[in-house]
Amino acid sequence: MSNSILEGETAGFRQTESAAGNVTVVMSMQQALNRALDEVLAENPKAVIFGEDCGRLGGVFRITDGLQSKHGENRVFDTPLAESGILGMSVGLAMAGFHPIPEVQFDGFAYPAINQIVCQIARMNYRSRGTLPMPITLRVPSFGGIRAPEHHGESLEALFAHVPGLKVVSPSNPHEAYHLLKYAATRPDPVIFMEPKSRYWQKGDVDAADGGSPEGAKVQREGRHLTLVAWGAMVARCLQVAELAAEDGIDIEVLDLRWLKPIDADALVASVRKTRRAVVVHEAPLTSGLGAEVAQLITQGCFDTLKAPVERVTGFDVPYPSGDLEDEYIPNIDRILFGIQRVLEYRRG
Amino acid sequence: MAEISFPLPDLGEGLIEATVLEWLVSPGDQVERNQPLVEVETTKSAVELPSPQAGKVVRIHGGPGDRINVGEPLIVFEVPDNTAGIVGTVPKEEAPKRRVRLSAVLDED
């Protein structure tokens, strides 16, 4: 892998040792995902990775960089430009005892594979009374923010989460990416792994030895006055908003949902019972977005203590716009602050 | 930094080679995506090849008159680690900007 930008494993990374003796490494989400896949291939001889440009090129986002030369062309390989075929092949491989880790190169390319995902992958275990499990980890570079053309910035979590039999997860930073992918790739069930592509390049601490629980939601910032619920790329933005809100004396908790199916209702309720106010933020369009599900779970569990109805700050009910307009589409800091203000000033009639 | 090699692409219609007419970039040049790199001639026509990506030119293969087979190295780029893929751009990390201020009376009832 002489041409690899991820070459050298930890060689180029800054390492620090925590008080607990754990070594944390600073790396980008690209590098964290690459390392997780490398380890999955090494640990599970049945794991195979494939997709458009996943092999020789190493993926358009370099996530599978160097894996083919290291693990061989039978473990990491290129496919034709045919998502239905990529996912259909995953079904057959899973039936034959493999753990396929296919990639759909961009969110919007998943549509041609919906039949395989919904009609086969999600239900084969159910249909076969548990005799044909589908341990498939489908990686989908997701969400917007990189000025890309149509079909390269969409948020499909609500579509996937609506399908019984699928699990859906999205990491928000390199540490989460490493641990959640390693966990997802050992599940006996199909997991849709939505990678926030606008966060691929930002670096963060990865503690490979200590990931905490890979299940459920995670509080990324504690606060007293209001809970911001987000996932994927919106978590980082909500953390920025929380810092700005602190300047105004508002103490915000940021709950990183991580798993979008199943949703960690206990964590939602625990957080909002404490803060009594909630705003959910996502890039996907408003109507029938996952924010509605989150708002209902909060309302169900916190109705008697809520200070205001749960607000949603989301994308708009339009097709995802071209790159020049995406800053107007994706919830920005001011729109999130407005949402917070609406909750703060709500008074019962 | 990483080096990325770009081989002579299949120029279509069963062509298996091309002859370099003129290089439009030199080693050391910083090129943008879609910038013309080289003019080559096939048995069908002379064409300019656009750059598949942005980067710094490290090496070029073949001078004017040299034949290059499809799939053989044509040009090598050096790109920073923090680079976008084939599609899109790396988002800029900017200090958060705000216009909205929060105001609230937080009665602790």
Side-chain angles (χ1 to χ4, degrees):
Chain A
M1 45 193 277
S2 60
N3 285 345
S4 169
I5 63 165
L6 307 173
E7 187 178 10
E9 299 285 322
T10 59
F13 302 143
R14 194 175 79 238
Q15 296 197 22
T16 52
E17 195 167 324
S18 72
N22 292 334
V23 174
T24 63
V25 178
V26 177
M27 61 172 88
S28 67
M29 188 183 287
Q30 281 178 320
Q31 292 164 326
L33 292 166
N34 181 260
R35 177 182 291 194
L37 290 175
D38 185 19
E39 292 175 7
V40 166
L41 287 170
E43 288 161 13
N44 180 1
K46 290 295 189 183
V48 285
I49 292 174
F50 49 92
E52 295 159 12
D53 300 317
C54 280
R56 205 174 80 172
L57 182 73
V60 294
F61 291 111
R62 323 304 306 155
I63 308 302
T64 54
D65 193 41
L67 297 182
Q68 186 180 64
S69 58
K70 182 169 178 184
H71 296 278
E73 293 183 1
N74 292 332
R75 309 280 315 275
V76 183
F77 51 92
D78 292 317
T79 65
L81 306 188
E83 287 75 15
S84 183
I86 294 169
L87 275 300
M89 184 165 65
S90 302
V91 174
L93 282 167
M95 284 178 166
F98 287 89
H99 189 125
I101 308 177
E103 176 185 295
V104 166
Q105 196 167 65
F106 284 92
D107 36 66
F109 303 176
Y111 299 124
I114 287 289
N115 178 56
Q116 294 293 350
I117 295 170
V118 175
C119 297
Q120 311 300 343
I121 291 173
R123 357 183 138 170
M124 192 62 75
N125 195 30
Y126 173 85
R127 184 187 291 144
S128 67
R129 299 188 187 186
T131 59
L132 290 172
M134 291 280 116
I136 295 170
T137 311
L138 171 56
R139 293 182 39 251
V140 188
S142 292
F143 315 118
I146 66 161
R147 301 278 187 272
E150 188 185 7
H151 291 315
H152 295 69
E154 308 191 7
S155 304
L156 303 186
E157 65 268 29
L159 279 180
F160 291 134
H162 196 61
V163 178
L166 297 180
K167 293 192 165 92
V168 185
V169 66
S170 185
S172 61
N173 61 42
H175 181 77
E176 300 291 346
Y178 172 82
H179 288 286
L180 290 173
L181 183 53
K182 285 204 77 176
Y183 181 74
T186 56
R187 292 303 87 204
D189 301 312
V191 178
I192 313 292
F193 193 87
M194 300 179 68
E195 299 170 3
K197 62 176 90 79
S198 67
R199 305 299 301 171
Y200 270 147
W201 299 274
Q202 279 76 39
K203 294 194 158 110
D205 286 338
V206 176
D207 183 345
D210 183 11
S213 171
E215 294 181 346
K218 190 166 174 179
V219 175
Q220 300 286 10
R221 182 189 198 277
E222 290 196 23
R224 292 176 297 137
H225 296 142
L226 183 144
T227 302
L228 278 176
V229 184
W231 51 89
M234 286 297 101
V235 173
R237 186 153 295 172
C238 286
L239 288 167
Q240 286 182 328
V241 168
E243 292 301 314
L244 296 172
E247 297 171 2
D248 303 333
I250 309 298
D251 188 17
I252 286 185
E253 179 144 308
V254 177
L255 185 67
D256 178 359
L257 212 50
R258 303 202 299 182
W259 290 88
L260 309 175
K261 178 80 170 286
I263 292 178
D264 187 350
D266 290 346
L268 277 175
V269 171
S271 176
V272 181
R273 277 205 165 266
K274 178 177 71 172
T275 62
R276 306 181 70 180
R277 302 173 182 88
V279 176
V280 55
V281 180
H282 60 65
E283 295 183 36
L286 175 75
T287 302
S288 296
L290 219 55
E293 186 71 28
V294 169
Q296 164 58 13
L297 289 168
I298 292 170
T299 305
Q300 189 82 43
C302 311
F303 185 67
D304 50 346
T305 53
L306 271 178
K307 287 275 202 179
V310 180
E311 276 283 342
R312 292 177 287 170
V313 179
T314 70
F316 300 105
D317 287 355
V318 298
Y320 191 83
S322 64
D324 291 346
L325 288 170
E326 69 183 351
D327 287 347
E328 311 303 320
Y329 174 89
I330 298 175
N332 60 27
I333 284 171
D334 283 332
R335 281 177 58 203
I336 298 169
L337 286 168
F338 268 126
I340 292 169
Q341 181 63 32
R342 285 196 296 273
V343 168
L344 290 174
E345 65 190 23
Y346 180 84
R347 291 290 174 267
R348 289 172 194 276
Chain B
M1 289 290 188
E3 289 192 356
I4 291 181
S5 179
F6 177 59
L8 181 68
D10 182 350
L11 298 168
E13 303 184 61
L15 302 170
I16 56 168
E17 60 177 20
T19 303
V20 174
L21 289 180
E22 186 187 4
W23 277 100
L24 306 171
V25 296
S26 309
D29 286 359
Q30 181 69 34
V31 298
E32 297 304 320
R33 187 146 66 101
N34 291 331
Q35 180 178 336
L37 293 176
V38 60
E39 191 178 9
V40 297
E41 184 175 44
T42 68
T43 51
K44 299 271 184 189
S45 63
V47 289
E48 275 185 3
L49 298 183
S51 181
Q53 63 181 88
K56 188 172 140 191
V57 178
V58 180
R59 279 187 298 285
I60 57 178
H61 292 274
D66 289 345
R67 279 191 198 159
I68 297 180
N69 292 324
V70 168
E72 283 183 356
L74 179 69
I75 187 168
V76 179
F77 302 100
E78 187 179 71
V79 295
D81 293 352
N82 186 21
T83 191
I86 289 166
V87 174
T89 58
V90 178
K92 283 193 220 99
E93 281 292 282
E94 292 168 341
K97 287 194 211 98
R98 71 184 304 183
R99 284 175 296 176
V100 178
R101 288 271 158 195
L102 300 175
S103 65
V105 182
L106 294 168
D107 49 337
E108 307 289 339
D109 58 342

